[in-house]
Amino acid sequence: MTGKAGTGATGAVTTRTRLDRGRGALGPALELVHTGRAPTRAVLTAGLGVTRATAGAVAGELEALGLISVDAHPGAAAGAQGRPSHRLEIAGDGPVALAAQVHADGFRAALVGLGGRIVATTPGCEIIDADPAKVLGSVVDAGVELLRESGRRCVGAGLAVPSAVAEPEGLALNPLHLAWPAGAPVREIFARCVRAAGITGPAFAANDINLAALAEHRHGAGRGARDLLCVATGHRGVGGALVLDGRLHTGSSGLALEVGHLTVNPEGRPCHCGSRGCLDVETDPEAFLAAASLATRPESSPLHQANDAIGDRYPADPAVRTAVEALIDRLGLGLAGLVNILNPDRIVLGGLHRTLLDADPERLHAVVADRSLWGRSGQVPVLACTLDHSSLVGAAELAWQPVLDDPLGALT
């Protein structure tokens, strides 16, 4: 009897020790599942560099927290040998982050789960007030209604804005297309709205293209890249972001990579920055519509109008074809300059730039290769963003990060 009791005590201590050791791996384990790199317990074991027993304890703890589900009896693939490993998946009814995006032509709120999965979205609102507090209050209210309908737990909130956001203050320095005051304290305002709505998790704010790059790196076309360059048109203007060695590079104060102000047409259109012919005004939707001699319509955003015109009329319409070729050449010139400076291993394009790439990928690849130092021998892959609402997914990543860093501490 004593021997049995001793064995039981020893077993309990062993289990407790294994779990204590594994708790330090909870965050890395969750990130592996979150980014799709650990679909099974066997892959998780290898990725963490731990024993099968420790990986099992870690997976069990994440399941107990309501973050993942563990299928202990998965079906074996046809012709497979041996017992299949436990399958790990994001919990179908797990917590969500509230994501919000504001742009020149409206705003949208969404609930985003682990794995970058959008659970629910609001219809896009097309009215933007000059007072950021009114806009952010409205978008948070819309998100809270989604939370109420879903019944999900909320871990926090993230906001994407079309402006450089200075750190650590969270100030929107140049929200030119929103008519908001320069230096608006968007993170403070957003956090205040989130708290007033009864959401207890942390609130964050960042530049929309930075967040699109983060989302694409973790869940989209940038997955697996070490040094990823993302360039995209919003509804107006052009932004860029860089992921270096797997981490978003924002510079010393959050203002890195203002690619929109690279000159690509010295005799081109005046830019808001005071220069002329910047990428920002030479390759955005309004530049395309002007080049194609298409009038903007008030009932639809310039981005939607430009995408529709290319989709419906390229290459048959000569004016649209000429405009597409002109914008591709300017975009390629800007990308080549960035390749020369940054040497990324992959480029992803979003917004209208994704549409231009889809329209004539060979032309864009040729311009980048011809204008970069290494030419075709060192050509960098240029891919289209694959996520819908990538800036919203990226905003949710901000809110999920504390959970990824410390699941137990964040949720208990």
Side-chain angles (χ1 to χ4, degrees):
M1 182 180 288
T2 302
K4 289 183 179 181
T7 300
T10 302
V13 170
T14 302
T15 302
R16 194 161 54 247
T17 302
R18 184 183 301 133
L19 200 53
D20 289 341
R21 188 185 307 121
R23 276 186 174 141
L26 283 176
L30 183 60
E31 185 168 341
L32 288 171
V33 179
H34 172 61
T35 55
R37 291 176 289 160
T40 67
R41 197 174 72 178
V43 178
L44 181 67
T45 301
L48 294 177
V50 297
T51 65
R52 278 177 46 188
T54 297
V58 168
E61 185 84 355
L62 293 175
E63 186 174 37
L65 289 170
L67 297 171
I68 71 170
S69 62
V70 181
D71 183 357
H73 305 287
Q81 298 293 320
R83 181 179 173 183
S85 179
H86 293 45
R87 179 155 292 279
L88 309 179
E89 296 181 344
I90 303 299
D93 58 352
V96 294
L98 170 60
Q101 181 180 12
V102 178
H103 52 75
D105 296 298
F107 64 76
R108 184 185 295 269
L111 305 182
V112 185
L114 282 168
R117 298 176 183 175
I118 295 180
V119 174
T121 62
T122 62
C125 174
E126 297 180 356
I127 300 174
I128 289 294
D129 196 277
D131 181 358
K134 289 184 179 179
V135 178
L136 297 183
S138 295
V139 74
V140 169
D141 287 345
V144 168
E145 181 62 20
L146 291 179
L147 284 170
R148 187 191 64 76
E149 292 172 357
S150 72
R152 300 282 193 102
R153 177 180 182 178
C154 183
V155 300
L159 169 69
V161 292
S163 167
V165 177
E167 298 295 344
E169 300 90 351
L171 308 179
L173 293 187
N174 58 344
L176 299 172
H177 303 296
L178 297 178
W180 289 358
V186 290
R187 185 165 63 214
E188 178 185 332
I189 297 170
F190 183 61
R192 188 164 62 241
C193 294
V194 166
R195 288 194 300 271
I199 298 172
T200 57
F204 306 88
N207 171 262
D208 53 359
I209 306 301
N210 279 354
L211 296 179
L214 181 62
E216 288 291 336
H217 184 261
R218 290 184 174 179
H219 307 294
R223 184 183 289 173
R226 193 186 72 168
D227 298 327
L228 174 70
L229 172 64
C230 177
V231 178
T233 52
H235 286 248
R236 292 182 181 88
V238 175
L242 186 64
V243 175
L244 287 178
D245 201 20
R247 292 187 174 275
L248 188 64
H249 174 70
T250 56
S252 60
S253 57
L255 308 179
L257 218 70
E258 282 289 324
V259 305
H261 301 292
L262 288 172
T263 298
V264 293
N265 183 12
E267 305 303 320
R269 293 150 59 101
C271 183
H272 315 285
C273 70
S275 186
R276 181 177 289 275
C278 294
L279 204 63
D280 202 58
V281 293
E282 293 292 333
T283 66
D284 81 337
E286 290 188 337
F288 169 80
L289 294 172
S293 300
L294 297 173
T296 57
R297 303 188 307 274
E299 71 274 11
S300 178
S301 76
L303 177 60
H304 293 151
Q305 291 176 54
N307 283 335
D308 289 345
I310 295 172
D312 296 340
R313 299 163 64 173
Y314 179 85
D317 186 318
V320 170
R321 183 176 67 250
T322 299
V324 166
E325 291 172 353
L327 262 69
I328 285 176
D329 290 348
R330 296 170 197 164
L331 174 61
L333 179 61
L335 293 179
L338 292 167
V339 167
N340 291 339
I341 296 169
L342 302 172
N343 190 28
D345 58 18
R346 197 178 309 175
I347 299 170
V348 296
L349 302 179
L352 179 63
H353 293 167
R354 174 170 63 175
T355 306
L356 294 172
L357 174 64
D358 290 341
D360 195 343
E362 291 184 3
R363 187 182 186 96
L364 182 59
H365 290 141
V367 175
V368 175
D370 291 344
R371 292 286 191 152
S372 59
L373 288 173
W374 299 279
R376 297 183 185 278
S377 63
Q379 189 166 354
V380 179
V382 182
L383 307 175
C385 290
T386 58
L387 299 177
D388 292 328
H389 307 302
S390 56
S391 291
L392 276 173
V393 174
E397 290 296 312
L398 295 179
W400 275 112
Q401 193 59 52
V403 181
L404 296 174
D405 291 339
D406 181 9
L408 203 59
L411 297 181
T412 61

